[in-house]
Amino acid sequence: MNGSPILAVNNTILWLKVILTAATIIFLYFRYRRGRERTSEGSSRKPSFLAKALLVVAVVFSFGVYHNLGNFRGGGFVHVADMFNYYLNTKYFNEVGYFDLYDAVLVADTEQGNQLAGLPFYTDLRTYQNVNRERALQGADRIRSRFSSERWRAFKEDVAFFKTATGMPRSTGGLMFLLMDHGYNGSPVTTLVLGTIANIVPLTKLQLLAYFDVFLMLAMSGLVFHTFGLEMGAVFSVYFCVNVLNAADSISGCFLRYDWLFYIVVAVCLLERKRYASSAFFLTLSAMLRVFPAALLYGMVVIIFKRAKRTGAVDKKSQRFILAAGVTGAALFLLPAVYTGTVLQPWSDFSKKIELHDRGVYVNHLGFRGIALFESDHLSLERFYNIYASTRTPDIVRHWQNVKEAELKEKRPIIAFVSLIVLICLSAIIWKRESETEAVLWPLVFVYTASYPAHYYYGFLCLFILLFFKRPNSLDALVPLCLLLSLNIAALLGDYGGASPIVFYTLINIYLFACFSFILVFELYRNVLGKERRESLQHWIRGTLRPMT
């Protein structure tokens, strides 16, 4: 459990990210210092040629830093662990579904020399509990019966490929560690897309698949540059690349892991251009791929409701948005049947998988849930080890998860209550500002309180640049953006300290909670409370503090 949880390559990359983040804060300070009015395209005063050149250089350099300046994990660009779950599972989804991949791998191994015979345990994807290898072998006939002879032979060849790719037999761990993960969690829509590609592109071309996300990164930046201008595009691109939670060692080289984020950026850019139906299509597509982006549709619901309340009718642009979202959702619900052969079964199994996943507590997942379950022992690896070491299992993390999952059942009402309060606050902000672009982005705060994504999904923090950067009031833009960037520096320095994963992610969760809480309170104070109420609040605070001084 020791070592850097995020930056596995070297500390040079870490310090370059710190420098780029600090430089962005300085850039924002000078940009907003005069409090000049800005249009949606950027500053009313166009940057000089030198300034433009520096911004472009910063973007290109940050892109290189994101990719560790070419020094990839294990010497290769492909993220083998991710490909194992997302390529192999989607390619053979009709045979293994959401729950049988690891069992099928172990059964295949018995026909390939039993290289996994020394596996101490693996994760049962139906329960997320550790079970011994014999459990999988007991169902060997059931597993084989789901494959045709040709598909079983192909599956074994693919398993052999991943054994070699993970260093077996010379490596003592190899594929074994991958069987202790939580498997494939993509929606049936994701399964349709990835499974179709995986059955066309052979394993020998995995590097081609890994480049898909590189293309999406470049396309996202290009869209922001084109829609919002040079300065905003540069800040968005740099922050995306230096975000500690979006580190290359966790997410680059994977199999289409940025598709959902790309579609959100497309939707925001289309909404900025008043393309309501197209924006609804891409927002719904993102939601059908990863579920939690569905929260972003809530903001438009508030806007549509307010307009309908004011005029007594739903206007045509809102009708287009609603119709496009509804038709897209219905079509994407039905479309996976083309690949799986059935409409309801994959969605039913996906629901069970997500329900199981949602009941869990994980070291590298972030959300208000982690705050509700926080205890001081999470900040010390030694104390954590002493408390959660168990004679019943050698897996300390699994024991900690079992304890915390039982505690989570008791804390769910608290989490739901806080999420409701946050939703009410966000509704007030969206109602007051009535900006469509902001409306679809503010619910990102609700994602933090109501769900529990893995750390790399917090790549969505770059979307806050789209939320705040183009505001005409310098204070309203500078404060939240500098908070996010300062959070990034604090997280990077925490990673430099070599904290264990349990300590590192606990600290990150505390930082995120403090950052989101401050941004929410700041926004309510600045943009929801009227001037008279703000003055009354200031008077009350001064009156309260005076006796203390």
Side-chain angles (χ1 to χ4, degrees):
M1 296 177 66
N2 291 315
S4 166
I6 297 289
L7 298 174
V9 179
N10 56 57
N11 288 327
T12 301
I13 300 299
L14 184 149
W15 285 112
L16 288 174
K17 289 191 174 186
V18 169
I19 292 169
L20 283 166
T21 306
T24 304
I25 293 176
I26 295 170
F27 167 76
L28 291 172
Y29 169 75
F30 282 107
R31 185 180 191 276
Y32 293 123
R33 182 178 58 178
R34 299 175 184 173
R36 58 180 181 261
E37 292 295 319
R38 294 177 290 115
T39 64
S40 60
E41 289 78 25
S43 171
S44 57
R45 177 183 174 185
K46 293 183 179 181
S48 65
F49 175 80
L50 178 60
K52 291 180 180 179
L54 289 174
L55 288 174
V56 172
V57 168
V59 170
V60 173
F61 183 63
S62 64
F63 183 80
V65 168
Y66 171 84
H67 288 101
N68 296 324
L69 301 179
N71 188 8
F72 303 118
R73 78 182 83 72
F77 181 65
V78 175
H79 196 310
V80 176
D82 181 85
M83 289 290 183
F84 172 73
N85 283 296
Y86 276 71
Y87 177 94
L88 199 61
N89 207 143
T90 55
K91 182 176 181 178
Y92 298 98
F93 184 83
N94 289 334
E95 289 85 3
V96 301
Y98 285 102
F99 308 109
D100 286 327
L101 175 63
Y102 295 175
D103 298 66
V105 169
L106 290 169
V107 173
D109 177 65
T110 62
E111 301 178 17
Q112 297 175 324
N114 276 323
Q115 291 175 307
L116 299 173
L119 181 70
F121 59 83
Y122 76 103
T123 301
D124 181 351
L125 295 178
R126 285 182 171 80
T127 63
Y128 280 6
Q129 295 297 313
N130 298 334
V131 294
N132 58 42
R133 176 174 169 269
E134 283 65 35
R135 172 79 67 86
L137 302 186
Q138 289 171 3
D141 291 339
R142 177 184 64 84
I143 293 293
R144 291 191 189 96
S145 67
R146 300 186 64 176
F147 290 80
S148 66
S149 298
E150 182 180 352
R151 292 281 285 178
W152 180 244
R153 183 166 56 252
F155 179 75
K156 289 194 295 181
E157 291 174 356
D158 289 351
V159 170
F161 175 91
F162 279 104
K163 285 182 181 180
T164 303
T166 54
M168 297 185 75
R170 62 183 182 279
S171 171
T172 56
L175 196 64
M176 292 183 183
F177 292 119
L178 303 189
L179 298 176
M180 300 175 188
D181 206 339
H182 295 106
Y184 168 69
N185 301 313
S187 73
V189 178
T190 301
T191 302
L192 168 65
V193 175
L194 301 190
T196 301
I197 296 172
N199 276 287
I200 295 173
V201 180
L203 274 172
T204 54
K205 302 294 184 181
L206 282 187
Q207 188 145 347
L208 174 63
L209 302 184
Y211 284 136
F212 285 177
D213 276 341
V214 178
F215 169 77
L216 292 180
M217 287 175 60
L218 296 173
M220 273 191 290
S221 293
L223 281 170
V224 176
F225 273 109
H226 180 68
T227 304
F228 297 101
L230 177 66
E231 292 180 324
M232 189 167 175
V235 174
F236 173 87
S237 302
V238 170
Y239 182 58
F240 176 87
C241 291
V242 302
N243 179 3
V244 66
L245 297 176
N246 189 42
D249 291 309
S250 300
I251 199 68
S252 74
C254 295
F255 190 11
L256 275 179
R257 286 301 205 124
Y258 283 136
D259 51 354
W260 62 276
L261 183 59
F262 171 72
Y263 296 136
I264 294 174
V265 172
V266 173
V268 171
C269 292
L270 287 169
L271 200 57
E272 184 71 11
R273 296 177 179 276
K274 309 302 180 184
R275 302 284 296 276
Y276 296 95
S278 301
S279 177
F281 169 80
F282 283 103
L283 273 179
T284 307
L285 176 56
S286 179
M288 296 297 283
L289 288 170
R290 289 295 186 274
V291 182
F292 71 83
L296 276 62
L297 291 164
Y298 175 77
M300 282 301 295
V301 171
V302 174
I303 292 289
I304 292 170
F305 178 77
K306 181 178 181 179
R307 290 174 179 168
K309 184 176 182 297
R310 185 169 57 212
T311 62
V314 178
D315 56 36
K316 289 185 178 180
K317 59 186 180 182
S318 297
Q319 291 176 12
R320 292 199 301 272
F321 188 93
I322 294 169
L323 180 62
V327 171
T328 302
L332 291 177
F333 182 83
L334 298 173
L335 197 57
V338 174
Y339 182 68
T340 62
T342 175
V343 174
L344 296 180
Q345 191 61 49
W347 288 105
S348 175
D349 290 344
F350 175 64
S351 176
K352 293 175 183 176
K353 177 71 171 179
I354 292 303
E355 182 183 359
L356 172 65
H357 209 62
D358 186 61
R359 292 202 303 264
V361 177
Y362 313 100
V363 171
N364 70 323
H365 284 221
L366 301 169
F368 179 74
R369 185 180 305 185
I371 300 298
L373 298 175
F374 170 78
E375 57 185 66
S376 59
D377 299 305
H378 295 163
L379 297 176
S380 169
L381 179 60
E382 183 179 356
R383 292 203 304 270
F384 178 82
Y385 181 86
N386 290 336
I387 290 176
Y388 292 103
S390 173
T391 56
R392 289 176 294 177
T393 175
D395 190 346
I396 296 174
V397 172
R398 182 66 258 177
H399 181 225
W400 168 77
Q401 289 175 311
N402 290 337
V403 172
K404 287 298 175 181
E405 285 166 12
E407 185 182 338
L408 176 61
K409 294 180 181 179
E410 301 175 0
K411 296 289 181 68
R412 281 196 180 276
I414 297 174
I415 296 169
F417 176 75
V418 172
S419 298
L420 178 60
I421 296 299
V422 168
L423 193 62
I424 292 171
C425 293
L426 295 176
S427 300
I429 293 169
I430 296 167
W431 188 280
K432 181 71 174 181
R433 293 191 62 83
E434 203 175 350
S435 165
E436 295 161 341
T437 305
E438 291 189 14
V440 300
L441 294 175
W442 268 114
L444 291 170
V445 180
F446 182 70
V447 170
Y448 173 79
T449 58
S451 63
Y452 196 48
H455 72 275
Y456 42 78
Y457 283 113
Y458 282 84
F460 72 62
L461 291 177
C462 65
L463 296 173
F464 282 99
I465 306 297
L466 308 183
L467 177 61
F468 296 118
F469 187 87
K470 68 188 184 72
R471 285 185 168 183
N473 187 297
S474 59
L475 189 63
D476 290 350
L478 182 61
V479 170
L481 290 178
C482 285
L483 274 173
L484 286 168
L485 293 164
S486 298
L487 161 68
N488 198 55
I489 292 176
L492 286 163
L493 294 178
D495 196 28
Y496 177 72
S500 66
I502 185 69
V503 175
F504 177 80
Y505 289 113
T506 299
L507 286 171
I508 295 295
N509 216 5
I510 293 172
Y511 296 158
L512 276 173
F513 175 72
C515 184
F516 285 152
S517 298
F518 188 93
I519 288 175
L520 197 60
V521 171
F522 178 80
E523 186 70 20
L524 289 169
Y525 175 77
R526 290 283 301 178
N527 295 297
V528 176
L529 291 178
K531 183 178 179 180
E532 293 182 1
R533 291 182 179 179
R534 287 203 303 271
E535 291 175 350
S536 298
L537 180 61
Q538 290 171 356
H539 179 73
W540 177 81
I541 293 174
R542 284 195 295 268
T544 303
L545 295 178
R546 190 174 295 116
M548 298 172 59
T549 58

